[in-house]
Amino acid sequence: MSHGQSRTFTRVGRFAHRYAWWIVGFWIVLAAGLNIAVPQLEVTVSKTSADFLPRSLPSNGHLENMAHDFGVPTSNAVSSIVLVDEKGFGPDDERYYERLVKALSASDDVAYVVDFYRSPVTREAAVSPDGKAVNLMIASEGSVGSTRAHHAANGIRNIIDDTRPPAGLQTFYTGPTATLADLFSAIDFSLLIITGVSILLITLVIFAVYRKFSTAAIPLISLALGLAIVRPIASFLGGHGWLSISNFTIAIMTALVLGAVTDYAIFTLAAYHEGRRRKLDVGDAVAAASGRTGPVLVASALTIAAASASMIFTKIGMFKTAGPPTAIAILVVLALALTLPPALLSIAGRRGLAEPGPSTERKWRARGARIMRHAGIYAAASLAFLLGCTTLLLGHQTNWDESSMFVHANESTRGYDAVYKHYGNNAIATEYLIVRSNHDLRNTSDLAALELAADAVARLNSVATVRSITRPDGKPLAESAAGYVPGRVGKELDGAAKQMADARPDLLRLASGVDQLSAGADDATRRMPELVDGTDQVVTMANGVLDSLDAAQAFVDAATGHRTDLAGATTSLRGSLDAVAPLISDLRAAAAAAKPAIDGFDRTFGPLIANRTPGACAQDPACLAARAAFDQLNRATDGRARDTLTQLRSAAAVPEQATARAESSVKALSGLLTQLQSMLGQLNGRTPDQIRADLNRLTSGVNELSDGMTQLADGLHQVQGGTAQLTALTDQLHAGLRQATDYLGAMSRATSDGPGRGFYLPDEALHDPRMVEGAKLLISPSGRTARMMVTWKINPYSGDALAASHTLAPAAHSALAGTGLADAEISNTGLASLSADMSDQLHRDLILFGLVAVIAVTIVLMVLLRSIVAPLILVATVLLSFAAVMGISTLVWQHIIGIPLDWSVAPVAGMALIAVGADYSMLFASRIREESEGRGLISGVIRGFGSTGSVITTAGIVFAITMFALMSGTTFNLVQIGFTIGIGLLIDVLVVRSILVPATIAVLGDRMWWPAKPA
C-alpha cells in the first residue's frame, strides 16, 4: 500500500464526484428499504438473543446434569421468589404460597420448582431465621441471558401478580437469572438514551469544530445513513440465525459505528479542506481527499474489523454477539465512508459550501517542533505517566456482581436487600454440592459418609451453612448422633426404674402380707384335724350321754317311776366339754395369728383389686404407681390376678368364721348342758332327741369350717399360679432388655470406627415420613445422586467466593476418603462456581482474541507502513495506553467510587482501544512517512503534526464523546465501559499520538521504518 496519493482511491473519488447524486440516492434508498423490509434490531434481539453462559462451562454442565438426575427439565436459569411478611409468615401467606406453587408448576415459563417449604425435614432451608421470609427456588425456561429466559422472567412476574398476594405480603422475583433479566431490560432502555445522547453530543462537537451547517452536515448525514444501514443488516443476519446477536450487539456495534463513521467523514473532510487550501477545484479536491484517506480508511476499518472479528473465537455470549456483527458493520461503514462523504462534498462544493476555515497547521507544527527539540524528555515523561497509571492495576478487582450494576433499584435488587435483612446472608445465591455414585445412597453407611462430606465443607471459613439430607436445617440431625438412641433408651429405662423404686415399699408390704397369710393358713390347716376330732368326740360323748340319759332316764324312770335325776350325767357331760375348750382356744389363736396377714392383705391389695381407684389412693403417688403396675399385671393375665386375689380375700376370712362357729357351737353345747341341767331340773317334758338335734348343728358348723379351709387352700394355689405368671412376665421383660442390649450392641459396632463413627441412623429411620419427603428434594429418585445446599458466609459474587468455590469439591472428596463413596463423582455448581468458570473462560477468551486482534492489527499496520518495527512500536503504545486507562478506571471506580470494574469492561475496552487507538497512530505514522520523503524524518514529523493534528484530535474527541455517551445509561457496566474507552481515547489522542509516538520516532530515527530503507 503506497504512501501519499492512491491512484485507485483517487479514481474512486472521481467516480463519487461524477455520480454524486446517484451515490447519495443509493445509500438513502438502501437505508429506507432495509428499515422497511427488516425488523428493527431491538425487535430481533428480543426474539433471538443468544445465550449468555457458554454451554461448555463445567458448572453449567453440572447444573444441567443435576436437573437430569432429579428428573426435572435441564435449565441453568435458576433464581428465587422471596416472600416477606414483616408480621410473620401466617396462614393467609401459606395459602397464597400454595396457590403460587401450583400456578408456577403449571406455567410454560417455568422449568421446575424446588419447594423446600412444604417438607418438614427441609423447611428450615426455606424459612428465614426470624420466620418472616420464605425462599421458593425456581428455574425458568431458557438459558441464562437468552430471549427465552428473559420472556420467562416476565411471565413469572405476571404469575406472581395474577395470584394476588395477600395484604402485607411482599414478593420479589430475584436471584441471578432475575438480575440478568432486569439488567438486560435496563440495557434495552439505556440504548435508546445512549443513541440519542451520542447523536446529540456528536452534533454539538461537529458544529463547534466546523461552525458551518453545510460542513457539519456531511459527517452527520454519513452517521445517520451508516447507522440506518448497519442496524437492519445485523437484524437480518441475526434473525436468520447467521449471526449471534444480543443487547451487547446493539450497544457495542452502535457505539463503534457512530465513532467510526464520524471519524472517517472527518478524515475525508480534512483532506478535502487541505486540497481546497491548495486551490484545487471541487472535483480534484474530492479525488485528492479520497486518494489520500482511502488507504487509511481501509487500514483503519480492517484493524477494527479484525479486532472485532477475533471475538468469534471466544465462548462468552457477550463477546460472540458483539464482535462479529461489529466487524461486518465496520466493513459496511467502510464502503459508505469511501463513497458517501466524497459524494456529499462534491454536491456541497459545487454550491460553494463546506469550504475550509482558517488553518491550524502552523500551530500544530510549532507543537511538533517543540516535541522534537526535547524528544527524549517527552518520551520518558509520557512513558512514566503511562507506566505510573498502569501500576494502579496492581489492586484491580474484577466485579462479577451483576446486582451491583444498576444505577437505580429494581425488584431483583430489592429482593437481595430483603434476603440480607431476614436471612443475614445471600441465602438465594446458594451453591450446590453434588455427590454422584454408582449405587443407591439411601443406607446408613453412605448417609454417614455424606455427613462427613457435609461436615468437612461446613468447616470451611467461607461457608455459613450446609444443608443436606443428614442436616436439613444446617445442623446434623439429632436422631443421627450415635449417642441419641442410647440416650433415649437410658431415659426410658431410668423412668421405669424410678417407677419400680417408688412401688417397692408397696411390693414389700404385699410380700409380707402374703407371707403372713400363708403362715396363718398353714397353722390353721394343721390344727383342723384336732378340731374335727374334738368335735367328733363331743358329739360321740353327747350321744353317749344322751343314750345314757335315755338309759338313765329309763333307768331312772324305771327305778324312780319316771322321776328325773340326771345331775350326775350332766356333770359328766360338762367334763367332756371342758376337754374340748383347749382345742377351741388353739383354733382362736390360729385365727388371731392370721388376722394381721388378712389386714395387711386388705391394706395392700384392697386399693388394687377395687374396680375404681379409692380416693385415698388417688392422693398417693406410690399407690397410683402400684395400682398401675397391678393393672398391667392384671391385663397381662387376662384379669385372673384380680379374680384370684378377690377369691383369696374371701377365703382368708374362713378360719375366723369357723373358729367363731366352733366357739359358738361349744357355747351352744354348754348352754345346752346348762339348759339340760336346767332341763334336767326342769325337764318340763323335753326329750333326748331334742338334744341330739343340737349336736347335729355342732357337727354341721365344724364341716362348714373344714370347707372354708379347703377354699383357703385353693385360693393360695391360685396365688401361687399368679406368682408363676408374674415370673413369666419378668422373663419377658428380661427378653426385651436382651433385645435392647442387642440393638445397642449393633449400634455400637456400627459407630465405633469406620465411616459411621459419630453417625448412626437405624433402617427404620429411612422410612420416616420426614426422611422420605426430604429425600425427594435432596436425593435423586434413583438414589444415586445427593445434593447439598451451601450458603456462603461471604458475598457469593466476590472474588473470595469465586476462589472458594474451587475448594468445595476437594474438601468433600477428602472427607470421603476411606468410605464407600471414596470413588464417587464430586462436583459443585451455583452462582459462585458459574462466575468462577466464567472468570476462567474470560481469561482464556481475552488471551485468545487479544492475541488474534494484536496480530491482525500488526499485520495491517505492516502492510500499510511497509515496516516491522513501526507496527510493533505502535501496537505496544496502544497496549500500554490500554493498561494505563485500566489503571485509571480502577482508581476512579474501585478506590474512589467504590464499585469495582465489571468483568465486561476490560475485554470490550481492549477491543475498542486496540482497534481505534491503532487507527490514530497509524494515520499519524503514515502521514509522517509520507512527509519524510525528500525532507527528512524530523521535518516529516513536524509536517505530520501540522497536517493531522487537528483532524486526529477532532476525530478522537468525537469518538471519545461517543463512548462517554454510554455513561448516560442506567447500568454501571455500560457507564464503566463508556468511561474507560472515552478516557482511553483521550489519552491516546493527547498523550500517545501527540507525545509518545512522535517522540519515539524522533529517538529511533529511520530505524523506525526497518527493514525499509531511509527516505
Side-chain angles (χ1 to χ4, degrees):
M1 189 175 291
S2 64
H3 301 287
Q5 291 290 127
S6 168
R7 296 179 180 178
T8 301
F9 289 107
T10 299
R11 288 194 292 270
V12 171
R14 295 194 182 280
F15 176 84
H17 174 67
R18 184 176 301 115
Y19 301 101
W21 282 108
W22 286 100
I23 291 174
V24 173
F26 167 79
W27 288 114
I28 292 175
V29 170
L30 179 62
L34 288 173
N35 280 274
I36 293 173
V38 180
Q40 289 298 307
L41 182 57
E42 288 79 7
V43 175
T44 304
V45 167
S46 69
K47 295 179 180 179
T48 61
S49 182
D51 293 350
F52 181 73
L53 287 178
R55 291 281 181 178
S56 59
L57 291 183
S59 295
N60 190 46
H62 297 326
L63 189 61
E64 294 182 349
N65 290 336
M66 181 183 71
H68 178 269
D69 289 344
F70 280 82
V72 296
T74 56
S75 171
N76 60 13
V78 179
S79 270
S80 292
I81 298 175
V82 179
L83 302 92
V84 178
D85 192 331
E86 296 297 342
K87 296 180 180 179
F89 209 69
D92 291 341
D93 302 329
E94 290 186 354
R95 285 190 287 272
Y96 170 77
Y97 182 90
E98 295 288 338
R99 296 197 308 271
L100 179 61
V101 170
K102 184 177 180 181
L104 290 171
S105 300
S107 173
D108 294 335
D109 291 323
V110 177
Y112 59 88
V113 175
V114 182
D115 182 6
F116 285 97
Y117 180 76
R118 287 192 293 180
S119 173
V121 75
T122 58
R123 179 165 295 177
E124 291 292 335
V127 181
S128 63
D130 60 9
K132 297 180 180 180
V134 171
N135 172 26
L136 174 63
M137 300 186 65
I138 181 174
S140 65
E141 290 288 349
S143 180
V144 173
S146 67
T147 297
R148 182 68 184 95
H150 195 174
H151 292 168
N154 295 331
I156 290 171
R157 286 186 167 132
N158 290 334
I159 291 174
I160 294 173
D161 295 336
D162 294 342
T163 315
R164 298 179 182 178
L169 180 67
Q170 297 175 288
T171 59
F172 304 96
Y173 179 52
T174 184
T177 302
T179 298
L180 279 179
D182 289 341
L183 182 64
F184 291 160
S185 295
I187 291 175
D188 289 340
F189 178 74
S190 297
L191 291 176
L192 299 175
I193 300 175
I194 290 170
T195 302
V197 171
S198 298
I199 295 175
L200 176 62
L201 291 177
I202 291 173
T203 301
L204 292 176
V205 171
I206 290 177
F207 271 104
V209 171
Y210 295 109
R211 301 180 183 182
K212 293 181 180 179
F213 177 80
S214 59
T215 305
I218 293 172
L220 292 177
I221 293 173
S222 300
L223 183 155
L225 288 177
L227 204 59
I229 291 170
V230 298
R231 283 170 52 85
I233 290 176
S235 177
F236 177 81
L237 296 175
H240 286 78
W242 298 336
L243 276 180
S244 295
I245 58 175
S246 69
N247 288 323
F248 297 102
T249 304
I250 305 174
I252 305 304
M253 185 191 73
T254 299
L256 289 178
V257 166
L258 284 173
V261 170
T262 307
D263 279 2
Y264 295 164
I266 290 173
F267 291 168
T268 303
L269 188 58
Y272 172 77
H273 284 167
E274 186 178 347
R276 293 293 289 165
R277 289 191 185 100
R278 295 203 309 266
K279 307 301 182 179
L280 297 178
D281 60 26
V282 172
D284 291 338
V286 169
S290 295
R292 182 178 293 278
T293 60
V296 175
L297 297 186
V298 170
S300 172
L302 289 177
T303 57
I304 297 176
S308 301
S310 64
M311 288 188 170
I312 199 172
F313 300 106
T314 63
K315 293 184 178 181
I316 295 178
M318 174 182 178
F319 305 149
K320 291 180 72 71
T321 59
T326 300
I328 294 175
I330 290 297
L331 294 178
V332 173
V333 162
L334 174 62
L336 181 142
L338 291 173
T339 56
L340 181 62
L344 292 173
L345 285 171
S346 176
I347 294 172
R350 292 170 183 173
R351 290 163 177 74
L353 304 175
E355 290 301 307
S359 175
T360 59
E361 184 173 349
R362 183 173 297 178
K363 181 181 67 175
W364 283 100
R365 286 187 178 183
R367 182 176 180 181
R370 187 166 55 252
I371 293 175
M372 289 300 96
R373 285 193 295 270
H374 308 285
I377 296 176
Y378 277 104
S382 57
L383 278 174
F385 169 75
L386 294 176
L387 291 173
C389 293
T390 301
T391 58
L392 297 173
L393 278 174
L394 295 176
H396 174 76
Q397 297 176 2
T398 302
N399 188 357
W400 289 92
D401 188 356
E402 302 297 349
S403 65
S404 67
M405 289 295 104
F406 297 97
V407 176
H408 307 291
N410 53 41
E411 181 178 352
S412 62
T413 59
R414 288 191 292 269
Y416 279 123
D417 293 338
V419 169
Y420 277 109
K421 176 181 178 181
H422 294 284
Y423 289 86
N425 51 42
N426 198 332
I428 62 174
T430 56
E431 191 81 4
Y432 290 101
L433 182 66
I434 306 165
V435 180
R436 186 175 289 105
S437 178
N438 58 1
H439 62 271
D440 198 326
L441 302 173
R442 291 167 292 192
N443 59 80
T444 298
S445 178
D446 286 339
L447 289 177
L450 290 176
E451 172 58 22
L452 290 177
D455 182 68
V457 174
R459 293 177 184 275
L460 296 176
N461 293 332
S462 56
V463 174
T465 58
V466 177
R467 291 184 170 91
S468 70
I469 190 64
T470 62
R471 47 174 66 200
D473 61 349
K475 301 177 182 178
L477 286 171
E479 295 86 348
S480 69
Y484 177 79
V485 174
R488 287 200 59 183
V489 173
K491 185 177 181 181
E492 295 295 332
L493 292 178
D494 182 63
K498 288 182 179 179
Q499 291 182 357
M500 293 180 68
D502 294 339
R504 191 170 185 275
D506 294 328
L507 293 175
L508 291 176
R509 287 194 297 271
L510 173 61
S512 176
V514 170
D515 290 342
Q516 293 177 6
L517 177 62
S518 178
D522 291 342
D523 186 62
T525 301
R526 288 194 303 270
R527 302 303 295 271
M528 278 304 298
E530 299 178 7
L531 177 62
V532 173
D533 291 342
T535 301
D536 289 342
Q537 293 176 5
V538 170
V539 172
T540 301
M541 292 173 64
N543 286 332
V545 171
L546 289 176
D547 291 342
S548 298
L549 280 176
D550 287 341
Q553 187 64 46
F555 176 77
V556 171
D557 287 344
T560 60
H562 296 287
R563 289 194 299 274
T564 303
D565 187 9
L566 296 176
T570 303
T571 301
S572 177
L573 182 59
R574 183 176 293 277
S576 299
L577 287 176
D578 291 338
V580 175
L583 296 175
I584 294 176
S585 297
D586 292 340
L587 182 61
R588 175 175 291 281
K595 190 174 185 310
I598 295 172
D599 293 339
F601 182 92
D602 289 338
R603 288 192 302 273
T604 302
F605 288 96
L608 306 184
I609 64 178
N611 291 332
R612 296 184 179 178
T613 305
C617 183
Q619 304 299 323
D620 187 358
C623 181
L624 286 177
R627 180 174 176 85
F630 181 80
D631 287 342
Q632 185 175 0
L633 175 62
N634 188 57
R635 286 191 297 271
T637 60
D638 295 329
R640 292 195 301 275
R642 180 173 277 111
D643 293 341
T644 300
L645 292 180
T646 301
Q647 294 173 5
L648 182 61
R649 177 60 184 88
S650 300
V654 173
E656 182 180 358
Q657 294 173 1
T659 304
R661 289 178 182 177
E663 185 179 9
S664 176
S665 299
V666 172
K667 288 181 179 180
L669 182 58
S670 177
L672 181 60
L673 291 175
T674 301
Q675 292 177 2
L676 181 58
Q677 288 179 335
S678 177
M679 290 173 59
L680 289 175
Q682 304 174 8
L683 284 176
N684 293 328
R686 287 181 61 84
T687 64
D689 291 337
Q690 293 175 334
I691 297 175
R692 289 188 178 92
D694 293 335
L695 292 174
N696 290 336
R697 287 196 296 273
L698 174 60
T699 301
S700 177
V702 173
N703 291 334
E704 289 178 0
L705 177 60
S706 178
D707 292 340
M709 291 303 297
T710 302
Q711 292 177 1
L712 177 60
D714 293 340
L716 290 175
H717 286 304
Q718 292 180 6
V719 171
Q720 184 179 9
T723 304
Q725 291 179 355
L726 180 61
T727 303
L729 291 174
T730 304
D731 292 338
Q732 293 178 9
L733 176 61
H734 180 267
L737 291 175
R738 181 72 264 172
Q739 183 180 3
T741 302
D742 293 340
Y743 179 89
L744 294 176
M747 189 204 70
S748 177
R749 289 190 296 272
T751 57
S752 295
D753 52 25
R757 181 185 292 115
F759 182 96
Y760 180 75
L761 274 179
D763 291 339
E764 55 266 25
L766 298 177
H767 304 289
D768 184 275
R770 294 185 309 152
M771 188 66 70
V772 172
E773 289 300 317
K776 292 179 181 178
L777 297 174
L778 298 171
I779 295 183
S780 66
S782 68
R784 297 185 176 187
T785 302
R787 62 183 172 188
M788 304 177 190
M789 297 175 58
V790 179
T791 302
W792 295 107
K793 187 184 297 182
I794 54 182
N795 181 1
Y797 288 99
S798 67
D800 292 338
L802 269 62
S805 68
H806 292 303
T807 66
L808 298 184
H813 193 272
S814 297
L816 294 177
T819 72
L821 298 180
D823 296 329
E825 176 188 342
I826 313 296
S827 60
N828 58 282
T829 184
L831 175 61
S833 54
L834 283 169
S835 298
D837 287 346
M838 277 283 285
S839 178
D840 295 339
Q841 186 62 51
L842 175 65
H843 294 153
R844 290 191 292 269
D845 285 354
L846 275 174
I847 294 173
L848 179 61
F849 90 75
L851 286 176
V852 173
V854 168
I855 292 173
V857 170
T858 303
I859 292 174
V860 172
L861 289 176
M862 286 180 178
V863 173
L864 177 68
L865 300 177
R866 292 181 296 178
S867 169
I868 294 178
V869 174
L872 292 177
I873 290 177
L874 293 180
V875 170
T877 59
V878 170
L879 293 177
L880 182 59
S881 173
F882 168 64
V885 75
M886 286 299 298
I888 294 174
S889 288
T890 298
L891 173 65
V892 172
W893 287 99
Q894 179 176 317
H895 299 293
I896 297 178
I897 298 178
I899 304 176
L901 292 176
D902 186 67
W903 60 271
S904 62
V905 173
V908 175
M911 182 215 36
L913 292 177
I914 290 173
V916 179
D919 284 354
Y920 299 146
S921 296
M922 175 179 59
L923 176 62
F924 184 43
S926 176
R927 192 59 180 264
I928 290 174
R929 183 71 179 273
E930 177 186 347
E931 297 289 353
S932 298
E933 293 181 358
R935 299 186 181 91
L937 182 62
I938 300 300
S939 178
V941 171
I942 295 174
R943 294 178 66 85
F945 252 107
S947 59
T948 64
S950 176
V951 62
I952 291 180
T953 301
T954 301
I957 292 174
V958 170
F959 214 141
I961 287 177
T962 304
M963 294 296 105
F964 284 135
L966 291 173
M967 298 181 67
S968 62
T970 59
T971 62
F972 280 116
N973 52 358
L974 290 180
V975 174
Q976 291 175 341
I977 289 173
F979 174 85
T980 303
I981 298 177
I983 294 296
L985 290 173
L986 292 180
I987 290 177
D988 192 81
V989 169
L990 301 178
V991 177
V992 175
R993 199 277 310 172
S994 298
I995 300 175
L996 181 58
V997 170
T1000 301
I1001 292 175
V1003 171
L1004 292 178
D1006 288 331
R1007 289 170 293 184
M1008 181 77 174
W1009 313 115
W1010 184 90
K1013 295 180 180 181

